[in-house]
Amino acid sequence: MNFSLEGRTYVVMGVANKRSIAWGIARSLHEAGARLIFTYASERFEKPVKDLVSTLEGQDALFYECDVTSDEAVTATFDQIKQDVGTIHGLAHCIAFAKKEDLQGEFVDTSRDGYLLAHNISAYSLVSVSRAAQPLMSEGGGIVTLTYLGGERVVQNYNVMGVAKASLDATMKYLANDLGKHGVRVNAISAGPIRTLSAKGVGDFNTILKQIEEKAPLRRTVTQEEVGDTAYYLLSDLSRGVTGEIIHVDSGYSILG
Ligand code: NDP
Ligand code: N5H
């Protein structure tokens, strides 16, 4: 079996900058020979993303604006991708958002607004994007999303995002069940803490990283590259029998009690 991604096209959603997990995924897919399509939330990110992608040698990428809070935007984006490239072979969904005030203090204080916003962007978007992308995966394909341990158990301060990740995990499984008959597999990567723009400004992130270095079986944190290579596995035929699965790329931290 040939595990090169030559001749295959993948959509990567959620590159904000070079630290983004989505960027680690893009680099792994690029290394494997894939053609890449990038989407970003607003025009503001067009130039930075294009500048970053210009560093990928020989990559003939395409770029689209896509705010996942709008079904119309999602549908229009994938309609345009269909017109421009025809078939795609997979998608990496690396998108989440919650209000800052909902990522501290007590979960019980989460507002209705904040709860709905976090779920809208971080969980429902996977439904919307998968529905729009599936018809483009006429040769079968893979969808990968990014989750975190805080959706499986209580992690201090993760709060509403933990509840949204629990929803995302279940969403991934229901989508895997629906899309399997079309040859489309849907999986999640549960990444250990990585310093990204989203993680920035989050109180005591250093303490969280230090705890991983002290306690995780591998005694170190993980990198964007390690998450990227697992996404490559999940988006390639190497994982052809795997769907509805959550793979922890977290130095083994999740096995600890
Ligand atoms: P980044 O800040 O690099 O990426 C977050 C992305 O979400 C940004 O690119 C942002 O797009 C995008 N986004 C937010 N709102 C919208 C929207 N309405 N429409 C489209 N895109 C939107 O952080 P990460 O790489 O850390 O995050 C990627 C994923 O990984 C998230 O799901 C996160 O929960 C998950 N994760 C992260 C971990 C970590 O420790 N960093 C650990 C486990 C999981 P834009 O920049 O264009 O606004
Ligand atoms: C237990 C923790 C630490 C506490 C919680 C952190 C949660 C982070 C996730 C969300 C996605 C962060 C977020 O929405 C930040 C925004 O309010 C403000 N930032 C932005 O608007 C920037 C500019 C844009 C690019 O960000 C987004 N998201 O659009 C969890 C950590 C140990 C692990 C972690 C950091 C998990 C995760 O899900 O990201």
Side-chain angles (χ1 to χ4, degrees), residues 16 96-100 103 148 155-158 161 165 193 197-199 202 205 208:
F97 187 86
K99 289 183 191 178
K100 229 170 176 172
L103 299 170
Y148 178 62
V155 173
Q156 206 188 350
N157 293 329
Y158 203 57
M161 190 51 66
K165 290 299 192 193
L197 189 55
S198 281
V202 159
F205 195 68
I208 295 169

Side-chain angles (χ1 to χ4, degrees), residues 134-204:
Q134 180 269 313
L136 280 69
M137 297 193 217
S138 48
E139 299 169 7
I143 296 174
V144 167
T145 189
L146 263 301
T147 189
Y148 178 62
L149 187 64
E152 297 174 58
R153 50 173 104 138
V154 172
V155 173
Q156 206 188 350
N157 293 329
Y158 203 57
N159 294 1
V160 72
M161 190 51 66
V163 182
K165 290 299 192 193
S167 168
L168 179 72
D169 295 353
T171 296
M172 177 276 291
K173 292 175 192 174
Y174 275 86
L175 289 169
N177 187 49
D178 284 350
L179 303 191
K181 57 181 170 294
H182 302 293
V184 175
R185 299 182 292 105
V186 190
N187 292 287
I189 298 173
S190 181
I194 298 177
R195 195 185 298 284
T196 63
L197 189 55
S198 281
K200 212 177 156 182
V202 159
D204 62 12

Side-chain angles (χ1 to χ4, degrees), residues 199-239:
K200 212 177 156 182
V202 159
D204 62 12
F205 195 68
N206 283 338
T207 313
I208 295 169
L209 294 177
K210 206 162 150 248
Q211 195 178 19
I212 303 294
E213 284 165 5
E214 281 168 6
K215 294 194 180 149
L218 296 181
R219 302 289 194 277
R220 61 172 181 82
T221 54
V222 295
T223 63
Q224 287 87 338
E225 288 73 18
E226 288 168 333
V227 175
D229 285 350
T230 297
Y232 162 45
Y233 159 75
L234 286 173
L235 293 172
S236 78
D237 296 343
L238 275 166
S239 62

